[in-house]
Amino acid sequence: MRYYPLLALLALSYPSVSQAATVCNGYAELCSKAFNDVTVVGAHNSYTASNTNLAANQDYGVTQQLTDGVRLLQNQVHLQNGQLRLCHTSCLLYDGGLLSDYLTKVKTWMDANPTEVVTILLVNIDNQPATSIAQAYVTAGLDKMSYSPPSATLANDAWPTYGTLIDSGTRLVNFMDNTANFASVPYIIDEFSNLWESHFDIQDASGFNCTIDRFTGKTDGQMYLINHYLYTTSSLFGGSTPVPNKAALNVTNAVSGPGSLGEEAGTTCIALHGRAPTFLLVDFYEYGQGSVFQVAATHNNVTYVPKAIAAVNGTDNAGPSSANPGSVTSTPNAAGQRFTSSLSALSVLAGGVFFGSLVAL
C-alpha cells in the first residue's frame, strides 16, 4: 500500500478555490457592484475610426478606445457579399471591415487585461440570425469569454457583480437590438427587453433630455443607455446632410454645463428615472481629455484619476497624433479611405439625395 504525504492528501480532499477579483475595471469598489449598477463610457460606432471621414464617429480604433477606458463598444453589423461587416448605414459610406476581425482585436486586448469587464452592443441592420453573428465570436475566441444569463430577460436585481463576471471568466457582456435567440445563442442578449435607450439623432443640445425612446415592455428601474452625441448639418451634393458636430464636442462631452454629458447623466436622468445611466454613448470620446470618464466615475462613487487620453497606439490609431484633439494630422485607416470614392459613387447614383439622411445613424 502506498502512502501519500499529508499535504498531498489535503490537496486531494479539498478542491482549490480561485482568488476572488480585488480590482475590477480599475477600482476595488466596483467588484461588489452589479453589472447594471456600474456606469461606463461607450463609443458610438466604435469601428468608424477616421479623422477625415464624415461618416466616422471616432478618431481612434477599438484597441485605443479600450486602453483609454471605453467599456461599451457599439457597432453596426451588415451582411455584405456574404460577409458580416461593420458599416455605417451602408458599406458604401463606411466599411470598417469584418466583424470577426474587430472582435479579434477585442479578444487580444481583454486577454492582456484580465480584470476588465467589457460590453458590446450590436445594431443588427440586416436582421441576421444570432447563430450567424455567433460565428464571428467563435472565430475570434470570444464565445467562451461571453456571459450567458440564466434567462433571456433579467430582473434588475439578477445581474451578476463585476467581481463575479471576472472570477467566472465571462467578463464580456453582449447585447443585440434584434433577432437575439436565447435558446440558440444565450450569450447574445436581447437589448430592448433588458435596457432602454434615449433618443438619438439630436441636433440641438436641448434634446439631451433623457427621455425614453426605444424599449420593449416595462422600463421601471431598468438599466438604460443615453445617446449623448450632437449632430449638425453640412451642405453636400446640394443637400443638407447630418454630420457629427465636432465643433461642440468640448461642451457636449463636458463634466458640467448646459448640453453637457454631466448635466444629462446627472441632473436630468436621475431626476427623471431615479438612477444614473448604465451606458454613456458618446462621439469622439477623447474631446475633453477625460471628461467623459470623470462623469462615469462620479456616478460610480469612485475617485477619477486623470491620465493621458488617446495617446498614439500604433496601427490601431487613426486619430490626431497631437494631444490636442482638434489637431488632425495623421492618415485615416484603410477602411476609412474607401469613403472618398464612395461619396463620388453616391453622388452619381442618387444625385446627392441618398446621402442626406444616412450619416446620423
Side-chain angles (χ1 to χ4, degrees), residues 108-157:
T108 298
W109 187 90
M110 293 189 71
D111 283 343
N113 295 271
T115 61
E116 300 292 325
V117 174
V118 175
T119 302
I120 292 178
L121 170 57
L122 299 178
V123 180
N124 187 9
I125 293 290
D126 292 325
N127 304 317
Q128 291 302 293
T131 50
S132 295
I133 302 292
Q135 286 303 309
Y137 279 79
V138 173
T139 298
L142 280 179
D143 54 322
K144 295 178 181 178
M145 192 181 287
S146 295
Y147 168 67
S148 294
S151 59
T153 302
L154 288 187
N156 294 328
D157 60 356

mmCIF file of all heavy atoms in Angstrom, residues 108-157:
data_model
loop_
_atom_site.group_PDB
_atom_site.id
_atom_site.type_symbol
_atom_site.label_atom_id
_atom_site.label_comp_id
_atom_site.label_asym_id
_atom_site.label_seq_id
_atom_site.Cartn_x
_atom_site.Cartn_y
_atom_site.Cartn_z
ATOM 1 N N THR A 108 -7.862 40.183 -28.050
ATOM 2 C CA THR A 108 -6.446 40.402 -27.742
ATOM 3 C C THR A 108 -6.287 41.366 -26.570
ATOM 4 O O THR A 108 -5.496 41.127 -25.653
ATOM 5 C CB THR A 108 -5.716 40.955 -28.978
ATOM 6 O OG1 THR A 108 -5.794 39.996 -30.043
ATOM 7 C CG2 THR A 108 -4.249 41.241 -28.667
ATOM 8 N N TRP A 109 -7.073 42.439 -26.585
ATOM 9 C CA TRP A 109 -6.977 43.421 -25.510
ATOM 10 C C TRP A 109 -7.475 42.824 -24.190
ATOM 11 O O TRP A 109 -6.847 43.013 -23.141
ATOM 12 C CB TRP A 109 -7.787 44.673 -25.849
ATOM 13 C CG TRP A 109 -7.572 45.771 -24.854
ATOM 14 C CD1 TRP A 109 -6.627 46.757 -24.899
ATOM 15 C CD2 TRP A 109 -8.310 45.982 -23.631
ATOM 16 N NE1 TRP A 109 -6.723 47.562 -23.789
ATOM 17 C CE2 TRP A 109 -7.737 47.106 -22.992
ATOM 18 C CE3 TRP A 109 -9.382 45.339 -23.032
ATOM 19 C CZ2 TRP A 109 -8.224 47.608 -21.772
ATOM 20 C CZ3 TRP A 109 -9.854 45.814 -21.809
ATOM 21 C CH2 TRP A 109 -9.282 46.943 -21.200
ATOM 22 N N MET A 110 -8.574 42.094 -24.218
ATOM 23 C CA MET A 110 -9.116 41.514 -22.995
ATOM 24 C C MET A 110 -8.192 40.456 -22.404
ATOM 25 O O MET A 110 -8.071 40.339 -21.181
ATOM 26 C CB MET A 110 -10.515 40.956 -23.244
ATOM 27 C CG MET A 110 -11.547 42.030 -23.550
ATOM 28 S SD MET A 110 -13.252 41.408 -23.604
ATOM 29 C CE MET A 110 -13.562 41.073 -21.860
ATOM 30 N N ASP A 111 -7.518 39.703 -23.244
ATOM 31 C CA ASP A 111 -6.545 38.723 -22.745
ATOM 32 C C ASP A 111 -5.426 39.413 -21.979
ATOM 33 O O ASP A 111 -4.909 38.878 -20.991
ATOM 34 C CB ASP A 111 -5.953 37.932 -23.913
ATOM 35 C CG ASP A 111 -6.901 36.870 -24.443
ATOM 36 O OD1 ASP A 111 -7.863 36.523 -23.736
ATOM 37 O OD2 ASP A 111 -6.675 36.391 -25.570
ATOM 38 N N ALA A 112 -5.050 40.602 -22.441
ATOM 39 C CA ALA A 112 -3.965 41.344 -21.795
ATOM 40 C C ALA A 112 -4.432 42.134 -20.580
ATOM 41 O O ALA A 112 -3.605 42.668 -19.834
ATOM 42 C CB ALA A 112 -3.310 42.281 -22.812
ATOM 43 N N ASN A 113 -5.756 42.204 -20.377
ATOM 44 C CA ASN A 113 -6.324 42.983 -19.275
ATOM 45 C C ASN A 113 -7.386 42.147 -18.565
ATOM 46 O O ASN A 113 -8.588 42.362 -18.744
ATOM 47 C CB ASN A 113 -6.926 44.286 -19.814
ATOM 48 C CG ASN A 113 -5.876 45.206 -20.409
ATOM 49 O OD1 ASN A 113 -5.284 46.022 -19.722
ATOM 50 N ND2 ASN A 113 -5.632 45.059 -21.706
ATOM 51 N N PRO A 114 -6.961 41.190 -17.757
ATOM 52 C CA PRO A 114 -7.871 40.166 -17.206
ATOM 53 C C PRO A 114 -8.817 40.628 -16.112
ATOM 54 O O PRO A 114 -9.650 39.842 -15.671
ATOM 55 C CB PRO A 114 -6.909 39.106 -16.671
ATOM 56 C CG PRO A 114 -5.659 39.865 -16.341
ATOM 57 C CD PRO A 114 -5.554 40.930 -17.386
ATOM 58 N N THR A 115 -8.734 41.884 -15.676
ATOM 59 C CA THR A 115 -9.646 42.346 -14.622
ATOM 60 C C THR A 115 -10.629 43.389 -15.151
ATOM 61 O O THR A 115 -11.153 44.204 -14.396
ATOM 62 C CB THR A 115 -8.858 42.948 -13.441
ATOM 63 O OG1 THR A 115 -8.100 44.092 -13.895
ATOM 64 C CG2 THR A 115 -7.928 41.925 -12.832
ATOM 65 N N GLU A 116 -10.884 43.349 -16.460
ATOM 66 C CA GLU A 116 -11.771 44.329 -17.085
ATOM 67 C C GLU A 116 -13.039 43.671 -17.617
ATOM 68 O O GLU A 116 -12.986 42.625 -18.271
ATOM 69 C CB GLU A 116 -11.059 45.046 -18.234
ATOM 70 C CG GLU A 116 -9.804 45.805 -17.813
ATOM 71 C CD GLU A 116 -10.113 47.009 -16.938
ATOM 72 O OE1 GLU A 116 -11.163 47.655 -17.167
ATOM 73 O OE2 GLU A 116 -9.304 47.309 -16.030
ATOM 74 N N VAL A 117 -14.177 44.300 -17.337
ATOM 75 C CA VAL A 117 -15.470 43.888 -17.885
ATOM 76 C C VAL A 117 -15.787 44.811 -19.059
ATOM 77 O O VAL A 117 -15.691 46.034 -18.940
ATOM 78 C CB VAL A 117 -16.583 43.986 -16.823
ATOM 79 C CG1 VAL A 117 -17.949 43.693 -17.440
ATOM 80 C CG2 VAL A 117 -16.293 43.041 -15.669
ATOM 81 N N VAL A 118 -16.153 44.226 -20.190
ATOM 82 C CA VAL A 118 -16.435 44.984 -21.414
ATOM 83 C C VAL A 118 -17.819 44.599 -21.923
ATOM 84 O O VAL A 118 -18.252 43.448 -21.771
ATOM 85 C CB VAL A 118 -15.365 44.705 -22.496
ATOM 86 C CG1 VAL A 118 -15.713 45.382 -23.821
ATOM 87 C CG2 VAL A 118 -13.983 45.158 -22.011
ATOM 88 N N THR A 119 -18.502 45.557 -22.529
ATOM 89 C CA THR A 119 -19.816 45.307 -23.124
ATOM 90 C C THR A 119 -19.768 45.633 -24.610
ATOM 91 O O THR A 119 -19.174 46.632 -25.014
ATOM 92 C CB THR A 119 -20.902 46.171 -22.455
ATOM 93 O OG1 THR A 119 -20.923 45.893 -21.058
ATOM 94 C CG2 THR A 119 -22.275 45.891 -23.050
ATOM 95 N N ILE A 120 -20.390 44.787 -25.417
ATOM 96 C CA ILE A 120 -20.547 45.049 -26.848
ATOM 97 C C ILE A 120 -22.032 45.148 -27.162
ATOM 98 O O ILE A 120 -22.827 44.300 -26.729
ATOM 99 C CB ILE A 120 -19.890 43.940 -27.701
ATOM 100 C CG1 ILE A 120 -18.366 43.991 -27.551
ATOM 101 C CG2 ILE A 120 -20.283 44.075 -29.175
ATOM 102 C CD1 ILE A 120 -17.641 42.890 -28.314
ATOM 103 N N LEU A 121 -22.417 46.166 -27.900
ATOM 104 C CA LEU A 121 -23.797 46.355 -28.351
ATOM 105 C C LEU A 121 -23.801 46.337 -29.868
ATOM 106 O O LEU A 121 -23.172 47.181 -30.518
ATOM 107 C CB LEU A 121 -24.359 47.679 -27.830
ATOM 108 C CG LEU A 121 -25.710 48.123 -28.402
ATOM 109 C CD1 LEU A 121 -26.789 47.070 -28.180
ATOM 110 C CD2 LEU A 121 -26.126 49.461 -27.789
ATOM 111 N N LEU A 122 -24.497 45.364 -30.446
ATOM 112 C CA LEU A 122 -24.552 45.219 -31.896
ATOM 113 C C LEU A 122 -25.894 45.701 -32.433
ATOM 114 O O LEU A 122 -26.954 45.285 -31.954
ATOM 115 C CB LEU A 122 -24.341 43.762 -32.299
ATOM 116 C CG LEU A 122 -22.999 43.140 -31.908
ATOM 117 C CD1 LEU A 122 -22.959 41.674 -32.332
ATOM 118 C CD2 LEU A 122 -21.837 43.909 -32.505
ATOM 119 N N VAL A 123 -25.837 46.581 -33.423
ATOM 120 C CA VAL A 123 -27.020 47.006 -34.172
ATOM 121 C C VAL A 123 -27.074 46.133 -35.411
ATOM 122 O O VAL A 123 -26.249 46.260 -36.318
ATOM 123 C CB VAL A 123 -26.937 48.499 -34.542
ATOM 124 C CG1 VAL A 123 -28.173 48.920 -35.331
ATOM 125 C CG2 VAL A 123 -26.782 49.354 -33.292
ATOM 126 N N ASN A 124 -28.036 45.237 -35.444
ATOM 127 C CA ASN A 124 -28.118 44.192 -36.469
ATOM 128 C C ASN A 124 -28.961 44.704 -37.644
ATOM 129 O O ASN A 124 -30.129 44.348 -37.800
ATOM 130 C CB ASN A 124 -28.714 42.926 -35.845
ATOM 131 C CG ASN A 124 -28.698 41.737 -36.773
ATOM 132 O OD1 ASN A 124 -28.111 41.766 -37.848
ATOM 133 N ND2 ASN A 124 -29.354 40.674 -36.344
ATOM 134 N N ILE A 125 -28.352 45.533 -38.464
ATOM 135 C CA ILE A 125 -29.065 46.250 -39.525
ATOM 136 C C ILE A 125 -29.804 45.307 -40.473
ATOM 137 O O ILE A 125 -30.950 45.560 -40.851
ATOM 138 C CB ILE A 125 -28.091 47.136 -40.324
ATOM 139 C CG1 ILE A 125 -27.558 48.281 -39.445
ATOM 140 C CG2 ILE A 125 -28.762 47.705 -41.582
ATOM 141 C CD1 ILE A 125 -28.580 49.330 -39.112
ATOM 142 N N ASP A 126 -29.168 44.225 -40.876
ATOM 143 C CA ASP A 126 -29.761 43.318 -41.863
ATOM 144 C C ASP A 126 -30.442 42.111 -41.235
ATOM 145 O O ASP A 126 -30.705 41.106 -41.915
ATOM 146 C CB ASP A 126 -28.693 42.865 -42.868
ATOM 147 C CG ASP A 126 -28.221 44.012 -43.744
ATOM 148 O OD1 ASP A 126 -29.053 44.882 -44.072
ATOM 149 O OD2 ASP A 126 -27.018 44.060 -44.095
ATOM 150 N N ASN A 127 -30.742 42.207 -39.922
ATOM 151 C CA ASN A 127 -31.532 41.183 -39.230
ATOM 152 C C ASN A 127 -30.967 39.773 -39.399
ATOM 153 O O ASN A 127 -31.708 38.808 -39.611
ATOM 154 C CB ASN A 127 -32.982 41.222 -39.723
ATOM 155 C CG ASN A 127 -33.607 42.586 -39.564
ATOM 156 O OD1 ASN A 127 -33.440 43.246 -38.539
ATOM 157 N ND2 ASN A 127 -34.312 43.034 -40.590
ATOM 158 N N GLN A 128 -29.674 39.661 -39.271
ATOM 159 C CA GLN A 128 -29.038 38.356 -39.389
ATOM 160 C C GLN A 128 -29.337 37.511 -38.143
ATOM 161 O O GLN A 128 -29.425 38.027 -37.030
ATOM 162 C CB GLN A 128 -27.533 38.518 -39.567
ATOM 163 C CG GLN A 128 -27.146 39.111 -40.902
ATOM 164 C CD GLN A 128 -27.654 38.265 -42.056
ATOM 165 O OE1 GLN A 128 -27.198 37.128 -42.252
ATOM 166 N NE2 GLN A 128 -28.599 38.789 -42.802
ATOM 167 N N PRO A 129 -29.499 36.207 -38.309
ATOM 168 C CA PRO A 129 -29.805 35.353 -37.154
ATOM 169 C C PRO A 129 -28.659 35.345 -36.152
ATOM 170 O O PRO A 129 -27.488 35.503 -36.525
ATOM 171 C CB PRO A 129 -30.019 33.970 -37.773
ATOM 172 C CG PRO A 129 -29.322 34.015 -39.092
ATOM 173 C CD PRO A 129 -29.440 35.434 -39.569
ATOM 174 N N ALA A 130 -28.990 35.158 -34.896
ATOM 175 C CA ALA A 130 -27.983 35.158 -33.845
ATOM 176 C C ALA A 130 -26.907 34.099 -34.081
ATOM 177 O O ALA A 130 -25.733 34.305 -33.749
ATOM 178 C CB ALA A 130 -28.657 34.925 -32.499
ATOM 179 N N THR A 131 -27.291 32.984 -34.674
ATOM 180 C CA THR A 131 -26.318 31.925 -34.938
ATOM 181 C C THR A 131 -25.245 32.377 -35.929
ATOM 182 O O THR A 131 -24.084 31.969 -35.829
ATOM 183 C CB THR A 131 -27.017 30.671 -35.471
ATOM 184 O OG1 THR A 131 -27.902 31.033 -36.555
ATOM 185 C CG2 THR A 131 -27.827 29.987 -34.374
ATOM 186 N N SER A 132 -25.617 33.220 -36.875
ATOM 187 C CA SER A 132 -24.633 33.739 -37.830
ATOM 188 C C SER A 132 -23.686 34.716 -37.146
ATOM 189 O O SER A 132 -22.467 34.692 -37.365
ATOM 190 C CB SER A 132 -25.337 34.433 -39.001
ATOM 191 O OG SER A 132 -26.092 33.507 -39.756
ATOM 192 N N ILE A 133 -24.245 35.584 -36.303
ATOM 193 C CA ILE A 133 -23.423 36.531 -35.564
ATOM 194 C C ILE A 133 -22.456 35.779 -34.645
ATOM 195 O O ILE A 133 -21.290 36.143 -34.495
ATOM 196 C CB ILE A 133 -24.302 37.475 -34.720
ATOM 197 C CG1 ILE A 133 -25.297 38.241 -35.608
ATOM 198 C CG2 ILE A 133 -23.441 38.424 -33.904
ATOM 199 C CD1 ILE A 133 -24.682 39.234 -36.539
ATOM 200 N N ALA A 134 -22.953 34.698 -34.058
ATOM 201 C CA ALA A 134 -22.140 33.926 -33.112
ATOM 202 C C ALA A 134 -20.901 33.343 -33.768
ATOM 203 O O ALA A 134 -19.875 33.144 -33.096
ATOM 204 C CB ALA A 134 -22.984 32.811 -32.494
ATOM 205 N N GLN A 135 -20.971 33.061 -35.059
ATOM 206 C CA GLN A 135 -19.805 32.500 -35.739
ATOM 207 C C GLN A 135 -18.606 33.435 -35.676
ATOM 208 O O GLN A 135 -17.452 32.997 -35.573
ATOM 209 C CB GLN A 135 -20.152 32.165 -37.197
ATOM 210 C CG GLN A 135 -21.014 30.925 -37.355
ATOM 211 C CD GLN A 135 -20.371 29.701 -36.729
ATOM 212 O OE1 GLN A 135 -19.202 29.389 -36.989
ATOM 213 N NE2 GLN A 135 -21.126 28.995 -35.891
ATOM 214 N N ALA A 136 -18.878 34.744 -35.726
ATOM 215 C CA ALA A 136 -17.783 35.717 -35.616
ATOM 216 C C ALA A 136 -17.166 35.669 -34.231
ATOM 217 O O ALA A 136 -15.941 35.827 -34.073
ATOM 218 C CB ALA A 136 -18.301 37.117 -35.932
ATOM 219 N N TYR A 137 -17.990 35.447 -33.204
ATOM 220 C CA TYR A 137 -17.473 35.325 -31.843
ATOM 221 C C TYR A 137 -16.615 34.074 -31.698
ATOM 222 O O TYR A 137 -15.558 34.100 -31.047
ATOM 223 C CB TYR A 137 -18.626 35.282 -30.843
ATOM 224 C CG TYR A 137 -19.190 36.636 -30.495
ATOM 225 C CD1 TYR A 137 -20.063 37.299 -31.349
ATOM 226 C CD2 TYR A 137 -18.838 37.261 -29.303
ATOM 227 C CE1 TYR A 137 -20.576 38.543 -31.034
ATOM 228 C CE2 TYR A 137 -19.344 38.505 -28.970
ATOM 229 C CZ TYR A 137 -20.212 39.144 -29.846
ATOM 230 O OH TYR A 137 -20.709 40.385 -29.528
ATOM 231 N N VAL A 138 -17.060 32.978 -32.299
ATOM 232 C CA VAL A 138 -16.293 31.734 -32.246
ATOM 233 C C VAL A 138 -14.947 31.911 -32.949
ATOM 234 O O VAL A 138 -13.893 31.499 -32.431
ATOM 235 C CB VAL A 138 -17.094 30.584 -32.878
ATOM 236 C CG1 VAL A 138 -16.229 29.327 -32.987
ATOM 237 C CG2 VAL A 138 -18.350 30.291 -32.064
ATOM 238 N N THR A 139 -14.975 32.556 -34.112
ATOM 239 C CA THR A 139 -13.746 32.789 -34.868
ATOM 240 C C THR A 139 -12.746 33.602 -34.052
ATOM 241 O O THR A 139 -11.544 33.330 -34.056
ATOM 242 C CB THR A 139 -14.059 33.522 -36.183
ATOM 243 O OG1 THR A 139 -14.911 32.696 -36.988
ATOM 244 C CG2 THR A 139 -12.785 33.841 -36.953
ATOM 245 N N ALA A 140 -13.254 34.602 -33.328
ATOM 246 C CA ALA A 140 -12.390 35.473 -32.533
ATOM 247 C C ALA A 140 -12.017 34.860 -31.185
ATOM 248 O O ALA A 140 -11.121 35.361 -30.500
ATOM 249 C CB ALA A 140 -13.076 36.814 -32.313
ATOM 250 N N GLY A 141 -12.714 33.798 -30.794
ATOM 251 C CA GLY A 141 -12.453 33.185 -29.497
ATOM 252 C C GLY A 141 -13.129 33.887 -28.336
ATOM 253 O O GLY A 141 -12.758 33.698 -27.175
ATOM 254 N N LEU A 142 -14.151 34.684 -28.635
ATOM 255 C CA LEU A 142 -14.851 35.435 -27.589
ATOM 256 C C LEU A 142 -16.098 34.729 -27.069
ATOM 257 O O LEU A 142 -16.693 35.193 -26.097
ATOM 258 C CB LEU A 142 -15.250 36.824 -28.112
ATOM 259 C CG LEU A 142 -14.158 37.888 -28.121
ATOM 260 C CD1 LEU A 142 -14.690 39.190 -28.687
ATOM 261 C CD2 LEU A 142 -13.594 38.120 -26.720
ATOM 262 N N ASP A 143 -16.495 33.648 -27.690
ATOM 263 C CA ASP A 143 -17.702 32.963 -27.247
ATOM 264 C C ASP A 143 -17.544 32.432 -25.822
ATOM 265 O O ASP A 143 -18.461 32.556 -24.993
ATOM 266 C CB ASP A 143 -18.070 31.827 -28.207
ATOM 267 C CG ASP A 143 -16.925 30.851 -28.437
ATOM 268 O OD1 ASP A 143 -15.759 31.293 -28.512
ATOM 269 O OD2 ASP A 143 -17.198 29.629 -28.545
ATOM 270 N N LYS A 144 -16.388 31.887 -25.508
ATOM 271 C CA LYS A 144 -16.179 31.321 -24.173
ATOM 272 C C LYS A 144 -15.952 32.396 -23.116
ATOM 273 O O LYS A 144 -16.058 32.123 -21.919
ATOM 274 C CB LYS A 144 -15.006 30.348 -24.211
ATOM 275 C CG LYS A 144 -15.269 29.127 -25.076
ATOM 276 C CD LYS A 144 -14.075 28.201 -25.139
ATOM 277 C CE LYS A 144 -14.372 26.999 -26.031
ATOM 278 N NZ LYS A 144 -13.197 26.084 -26.145
ATOM 279 N N MET A 145 -15.637 33.606 -23.532
ATOM 280 C CA MET A 145 -15.416 34.705 -22.603
ATOM 281 C C MET A 145 -16.707 35.490 -22.348
ATOM 282 O O MET A 145 -16.744 36.390 -21.516
ATOM 283 C CB MET A 145 -14.329 35.644 -23.154
ATOM 284 C CG MET A 145 -13.805 36.648 -22.155
ATOM 285 S SD MET A 145 -12.535 37.747 -22.878
ATOM 286 C CE MET A 145 -11.160 36.611 -23.009
ATOM 287 N N SER A 146 -17.772 35.135 -23.065
ATOM 288 C CA SER A 146 -19.020 35.896 -23.005
ATOM 289 C C SER A 146 -19.962 35.373 -21.928
ATOM 290 O O SER A 146 -20.098 34.160 -21.726
ATOM 291 C CB SER A 146 -19.724 35.858 -24.364
ATOM 292 O OG SER A 146 -18.950 36.521 -25.355
ATOM 293 N N TYR A 147 -20.631 36.300 -21.272
ATOM 294 C CA TYR A 147 -21.580 35.970 -20.209
ATOM 295 C C TYR A 147 -22.902 35.475 -20.787
ATOM 296 O O TYR A 147 -23.493 36.113 -21.661
ATOM 297 C CB TYR A 147 -21.834 37.203 -19.350
ATOM 298 C CG TYR A 147 -23.000 37.062 -18.395
ATOM 299 C CD1 TYR A 147 -22.946 36.174 -17.328
ATOM 300 C CD2 TYR A 147 -24.160 37.823 -18.571
ATOM 301 C CE1 TYR A 147 -24.011 36.042 -16.449
ATOM 302 C CE2 TYR A 147 -25.225 37.707 -17.693
ATOM 303 C CZ TYR A 147 -25.155 36.810 -16.635
ATOM 304 O OH TYR A 147 -26.220 36.680 -15.772
ATOM 305 N N SER A 148 -23.378 34.332 -20.288
ATOM 306 C CA SER A 148 -24.681 33.793 -20.652
ATOM 307 C C SER A 148 -25.606 33.892 -19.448
ATOM 308 O O SER A 148 -25.385 33.221 -18.432
ATOM 309 C CB SER A 148 -24.568 32.324 -21.087
ATOM 310 O OG SER A 148 -23.820 32.196 -22.279
ATOM 311 N N PRO A 149 -26.645 34.718 -19.509
ATOM 312 C CA PRO A 149 -27.549 34.870 -18.366
ATOM 313 C C PRO A 149 -28.412 33.628 -18.185
ATOM 314 O O PRO A 149 -28.539 32.804 -19.095
ATOM 315 C CB PRO A 149 -28.398 36.084 -18.762
ATOM 316 C CG PRO A 149 -28.393 36.067 -20.258
ATOM 317 C CD PRO A 149 -27.047 35.548 -20.663
ATOM 318 N N PRO A 150 -29.027 33.472 -17.024
ATOM 319 C CA PRO A 150 -29.886 32.302 -16.790
ATOM 320 C C PRO A 150 -31.204 32.355 -17.540
ATOM 321 O O PRO A 150 -31.887 31.341 -17.653
ATOM 322 C CB PRO A 150 -30.107 32.336 -15.275
ATOM 323 C CG PRO A 150 -29.924 33.765 -14.899
ATOM 324 C CD PRO A 150 -28.870 34.300 -15.815
ATOM 325 N N SER A 151 -31.568 33.532 -18.035
ATOM 326 C CA SER A 151 -32.812 33.667 -18.796
ATOM 327 C C SER A 151 -32.659 34.807 -19.795
ATOM 328 O O SER A 151 -31.725 35.618 -19.689
ATOM 329 C CB SER A 151 -34.001 33.943 -17.865
ATOM 330 O OG SER A 151 -33.787 35.126 -17.120
ATOM 331 N N ALA A 152 -33.576 34.870 -20.754
ATOM 332 C CA ALA A 152 -33.469 35.870 -21.819
ATOM 333 C C ALA A 152 -33.616 37.287 -21.300
ATOM 334 O O ALA A 152 -33.012 38.229 -21.830
ATOM 335 C CB ALA A 152 -34.517 35.594 -22.897
ATOM 336 N N THR A 153 -34.411 37.459 -20.259
ATOM 337 C CA THR A 153 -34.614 38.768 -19.638
ATOM 338 C C THR A 153 -34.302 38.660 -18.163
ATOM 339 O O THR A 153 -34.791 37.758 -17.482
ATOM 340 C CB THR A 153 -36.062 39.243 -19.831
ATOM 341 O OG1 THR A 153 -36.367 39.292 -21.229
ATOM 342 C CG2 THR A 153 -36.265 40.618 -19.233
ATOM 343 N N LEU A 154 -33.486 39.568 -17.666
ATOM 344 C CA LEU A 154 -33.100 39.526 -16.261
ATOM 345 C C LEU A 154 -33.781 40.633 -15.474
ATOM 346 O O LEU A 154 -33.908 41.764 -15.946
ATOM 347 C CB LEU A 154 -31.586 39.682 -16.112
ATOM 348 C CG LEU A 154 -30.709 38.508 -16.545
ATOM 349 C CD1 LEU A 154 -29.267 38.767 -16.171
ATOM 350 C CD2 LEU A 154 -31.181 37.200 -15.929
ATOM 351 N N ALA A 155 -34.195 40.300 -14.269
ATOM 352 C CA ALA A 155 -34.719 41.305 -13.360
ATOM 353 C C ALA A 155 -33.576 42.227 -12.937
ATOM 354 O O ALA A 155 -32.400 41.866 -13.025
ATOM 355 C CB ALA A 155 -35.342 40.638 -12.140
ATOM 356 N N ASN A 156 -33.942 43.408 -12.460
ATOM 357 C CA ASN A 156 -32.924 44.384 -12.094
ATOM 358 C C ASN A 156 -31.959 43.873 -11.035
ATOM 359 O O ASN A 156 -30.783 44.248 -11.026
ATOM 360 C CB ASN A 156 -33.597 45.675 -11.610
ATOM 361 C CG ASN A 156 -34.363 46.369 -12.709
ATOM 362 O OD1 ASN A 156 -33.980 46.308 -13.868
ATOM 363 N ND2 ASN A 156 -35.458 47.024 -12.351
ATOM 364 N N ASP A 157 -32.453 43.001 -10.161
ATOM 365 C CA ASP A 157 -31.604 42.506 -9.078
ATOM 366 C C ASP A 157 -30.942 41.163 -9.388
ATOM 367 O O ASP A 157 -30.367 40.523 -8.520
ATOM 368 C CB ASP A 157 -32.407 42.391 -7.781
ATOM 369 C CG ASP A 157 -33.587 41.423 -7.910
ATOM 370 O OD1 ASP A 157 -33.826 40.903 -9.018
ATOM 371 O OD2 ASP A 157 -34.280 41.209 -6.899
#
